[in-house]
Amino acid sequence: MAQVRGIKNLYLYHNFPEWYQFLTATFCHANWNHLSSNLFFLYIFGKLVEEEEGNFALWLSYILTGVGANLVSWLVLPRNAVSVGASGAVFGLFTISVLVKMSWDWRKILEVLILGQFVIEKVMDAAQASTALSGPFRGGHALQSINHIAHLSGALVGVLLVWLLRKVPSDSPDQ
């Protein structure tokens, strides 16, 4: 109903991807439910990342985890697949929000336990479901309602980002 003309050019088509589709697909969604659920989780976990690391880090994290998730999906999924949505980036932000909150403050430990349990449960669900990669075909493209590979790889890119940033020396004496 609310299809914007030409929007499908921004989807990531695995058979002949354009370089920009690895990014633009993270801003496109299959339907209203897909968009609203990603926006809900993006608000929750994006807000946590932004509070801890700032606005620029939130945008950079979203882009890197989303592009990383799409890249891994493109490498792993069949060539007739199509990737669309922010789920890979959202899973990356899940992971980042948990990892950046880790400290010995009891409130942060409680947040990490609650968020960590949720993230681990979702990542395990995605890992279990990632064994079923094929689906019915329409128009030459595989239709799989959930890209579990993107979820897992977005979470792993989030872990990698936090690990890399912790390797960068800090100027402040208390860190």
Side-chain angles (χ1 to χ4, degrees), residues 116-129:
Q117 177 271 328
F118 180 76
V119 171
I120 290 169
E121 180 181 314
K122 292 296 182 186
V123 169
M124 294 307 288
D125 288 346
Q128 185 178 20

Side-chain angles (χ1 to χ4, degrees), residues 7 10 23-29 35 42 59 62-63 70 84-86:
I7 197 83
L10 303 176
L23 174 64
T24 59
T26 65
F27 295 100
C28 301
H29 289 79
L35 174 64
L42 179 61
W59 277 102
Y62 179 89
I63 289 169
N70 281 333
V84 62

Side-chain angles (χ1 to χ4, degrees), residues 6-175:
I7 197 83
K8 290 188 177 184
N9 294 332
L10 303 176
Y11 293 6
L12 176 58
Y13 292 95
H14 292 229
N15 51 358
F16 295 108
E18 296 289 337
W19 66 269
Y20 59 87
Q21 291 173 340
F22 290 94
L23 174 64
T24 59
T26 65
F27 295 100
C28 301
H29 289 79
N31 55 44
W32 177 251
N33 288 337
H34 188 210
L35 174 64
S36 63
S37 65
N38 276 333
L39 284 174
F40 175 74
F41 288 115
L42 179 61
Y43 176 75
I44 291 171
F45 294 102
K47 186 172 174 67
L48 292 170
V49 172
E50 186 179 34
E51 286 172 357
E52 291 293 320
E53 302 299 323
N55 194 330
F56 180 74
L58 170 62
W59 277 102
L60 187 62
S61 298
Y62 179 89
I63 289 169
L64 292 176
T65 56
V67 169
N70 281 333
L71 181 62
V72 173
S73 292
W74 175 70
L75 291 170
V76 172
L77 293 176
R79 289 292 156 228
N80 60 346
V82 178
S83 291
V84 62
S87 302
V90 169
F91 265 76
L93 293 175
F94 284 163
T95 306
I96 292 168
S97 66
V98 168
L99 294 176
V100 298
K101 290 234 173 242
M102 291 181 136
S103 75
W104 290 110
D105 176 27
W106 71 270
R107 285 171 282 188
K108 289 195 178 197
I109 291 172
L110 183 60
E111 285 181 38
V112 166
L113 289 174
I114 293 168
L115 291 175
Q117 177 271 328
F118 180 76
V119 171
I120 290 169
E121 180 181 314
K122 292 296 182 186
V123 169
M124 294 307 288
D125 288 346
Q128 185 178 20
S130 66
T131 57
L133 298 178
S134 62
F137 296 91
R138 187 182 341 152
H141 296 286
L143 293 175
Q144 181 182 354
S145 60
I146 300 172
N147 184 345
H148 298 289
I149 297 297
H151 293 172
L152 289 172
S153 53
L156 291 175
V157 171
V159 169
L160 181 65
L161 281 175
V162 172
W163 180 78
L164 286 173
L165 289 175
R166 290 201 171 150
K167 294 292 181 187
V168 175
S170 177
D171 290 339
S172 65
D174 62 329
Q175 293 185 357

